[in-house]
Amino acid sequence: MAESRRVAFVDCARALSMLYIIGIHHMQSFVRPGTVIDALANHAAPALCAFTAISALFLGRKRFEVPGDAASFYKSRLVRAYPLFLLGCLSLFVVSLVVGKYFSGIRQLLLTLTGLVMVFGPAPRTMWYMSMLLLFWLLTPLFCWKRRRGAGDMLLRFAGLALLLAAFRGAALLGAPVDSRLYGYTAVYFGTLILADRVKLDDALRAAPPLAAAAVIALLSFTPVRGWVPAYPREVAVGVAGAVLILTVGKLCARVRPLSTALAWISYGSMAAYLFHRQWLGLCYYLLGPFGLPLAALLMAALLVGSYWVQRFYDRKVVPRLRF
C-alpha cells in the first residue's frame, strides 16, 4: 500500500476520534438536556486511546542514537505544538477567570504548561490531555534510545514501562495527587512506542492485540497488592479495544476517496480544534444558551473550518519563524 494511503488511514482515525471527543463527548456540556448526544457522550477513552496510539505510532519510528537526536526531537515538538498549547491554555485561563470552570489558579496553569499536572494535580478539564502528552514526549527518547531488534530488547523496554507505572504509583502512595487516568494512557502510549518500529504502518492493526494485552497486563500486574490499581483495568481494556475499532474504521474510510479527503482535512486541524473548542463553544453558549442539534452541528462545522485555517496559518507563517 502506498505511503499516502497509509497516512490517509491514520488521518481518518485521528479525525474520527476528534469528531467524537469534541462533537459528542464535550458537546454534551453545551447542548440541551435529553438530546441523543447525552446517550453517546460518556465514552471518551476509546477516542483518546486512539489519539494516544497514533501519536506514539509515528514517534516510535524515530531513531535516538546520540544526544543530538533527542535535542532535535525536543526542538521539533516545541515548535510543532507548544505555542498553540500555550495560547490555548492562556485563553482558557482567561475564560476561567469569568466562569471558573477550567483552571483553579496560577499553580494549576503552570503545572499544566510544564507537563506535570497529571502527577501533581488536580488536572484541569480538557488541557490535561495535552499536558500529559508533554510528559510523554519528554520521556520518549529514553524509551527509544539505541533501540535494537530482538525480543530481549523489547522485553527490556516493557520492563521500563512497568517501572514507570510503578514510579507513578509510588508517587501516589507517598501522597502525590497522581491522576488515575495517567496509568492507562502511559501503558497505551509507551506500549505502542515500543512496538512501533517492529511493524509496518500499514500493518499497525496487527500490533493492536499485543498492545491491548500489554496495557492490561501492565495494570493487572499490580493487582496482588491491594490499592495498587487506582485506574480501572476494565475501562482501560475497553478504551484499547475501542481504539482498535476506531483504527479499523479509519482503515475502511481510507478506501473511499471523498470521505478520506474530508477526514484528512479535518485531521489536519484537529490539534487546533482540540485546543480552542472550549473557548468557541463556551462563547456561543454564553451568548445563545444551550444548543439544539442543528445549532450544535453548525457551530461544529464552523470550528472545523476555523481550526483548519488556524493550523494552516501557524504552519506556514509561524513555524518558519520559530525554527532554531
Side-chain angles (χ1 to χ4, degrees), residues 113-180:
L113 290 173
T114 54
L116 298 175
V117 77
M118 295 296 280
V119 179
F120 302 104
R125 298 170 67 181
T126 303
M127 294 301 175
W128 68 268
Y129 181 75
M130 279 297 297
S131 182
M132 182 180 67
L133 284 184
L134 289 182
L135 178 60
F136 290 171
W137 292 340
L138 181 65
L139 297 173
T140 291
L142 179 64
F143 275 83
C144 297
W145 185 257
K146 294 189 176 181
R147 190 164 38 191
R148 299 293 181 263
R149 295 287 181 179
D153 182 85
M154 182 178 68
L155 291 175
L156 181 63
R157 295 175 196 280
F158 272 113
L161 171 57
L163 287 175
L164 179 61
L165 289 167
F168 288 149
R169 188 55 189 150
L173 292 174
L174 292 173
V178 178
D179 194 298
S180 62

Side-chain angles (χ1 to χ4, degrees), residues 25-302:
H25 181 61
H26 287 172
M27 189 66 78
Q28 182 188 32
S29 302
F30 303 100
V31 297
R32 295 168 187 159
T35 67
V36 66
I37 289 178
D38 285 339
L40 301 173
N42 297 317
H43 306 283
L48 289 174
C49 281
F51 257 127
T52 306
I54 287 169
S55 177
L57 192 64
F58 282 103
L59 298 182
R61 300 175 188 283
K62 293 184 177 294
R63 311 303 301 180
F64 295 93
E65 300 292 336
V66 296
D69 294 335
S72 177
F73 170 76
Y74 290 139
K75 289 177 183 178
S76 69
R77 291 291 91 191
L78 182 65
V79 170
R80 176 73 179 87
Y82 199 81
L84 284 178
F85 174 59
L86 175 62
L87 183 59
C89 284
L90 292 177
S91 59
L92 205 55
F93 182 77
V94 172
V95 171
S96 298
L97 296 177
V98 179
V99 301
K101 283 186 177 181
Y102 303 110
F103 285 102
S104 61
I106 291 292
R107 176 184 180 276
Q108 190 182 46
L109 174 64
L110 293 177
L111 286 172
T112 301
L113 290 173
T114 54
L116 298 175
V117 77
M118 295 296 280
V119 179
F120 302 104
R125 298 170 67 181
T126 303
M127 294 301 175
W128 68 268
Y129 181 75
M130 279 297 297
S131 182
M132 182 180 67
L133 284 184
L134 289 182
L135 178 60
F136 290 171
W137 292 340
L138 181 65
L139 297 173
T140 291
L142 179 64
F143 275 83
C144 297
W145 185 257
K146 294 189 176 181
R147 190 164 38 191
R148 299 293 181 263
R149 295 287 181 179
D153 182 85
M154 182 178 68
L155 291 175
L156 181 63
R157 295 175 196 280
F158 272 113
L161 171 57
L163 287 175
L164 179 61
L165 289 167
F168 288 149
R169 188 55 189 150
L173 292 174
L174 292 173
V178 178
D179 194 298
S180 62
R181 294 169 293 187
L182 181 60
Y183 301 94
Y185 291 112
T186 296
V188 170
Y189 180 88
F190 290 103
T192 306
L193 198 73
I194 293 166
L195 294 171
D197 72 332
R198 303 173 191 277
V199 294
K200 295 180 180 179
L201 183 57
D202 189 41
D203 297 328
L205 290 181
R206 297 180 186 178
L211 168 60
V216 175
I217 290 171
L219 289 175
L220 291 179
S221 63
F222 297 119
T223 54
V225 182
R226 184 178 179 182
W228 269 64
V229 188
Y232 300 101
R234 177 181 174 276
E235 292 185 2
V236 174
V238 170
V240 174
V244 173
L245 175 62
I246 291 171
L247 291 166
T248 302
V249 174
K251 199 165 188 178
L252 295 175
C253 291
R255 299 174 182 174
V256 182
R257 180 60 64 85
L259 181 59
S260 175
T261 301
L263 290 175
W265 184 84
I266 293 171
S267 174
Y268 177 74
S270 61
M271 182 171 68
Y274 185 82
L275 292 173
F276 299 106
H277 72 277
R278 288 271 188 196
Q279 297 88 318
W280 164 244
L281 295 176
L283 174 63
C284 294
Y285 183 87
Y286 178 78
L287 295 174
L288 304 173
F291 311 149
L293 287 180
L295 179 59
L298 179 63
L299 294 176
M300 186 68 186

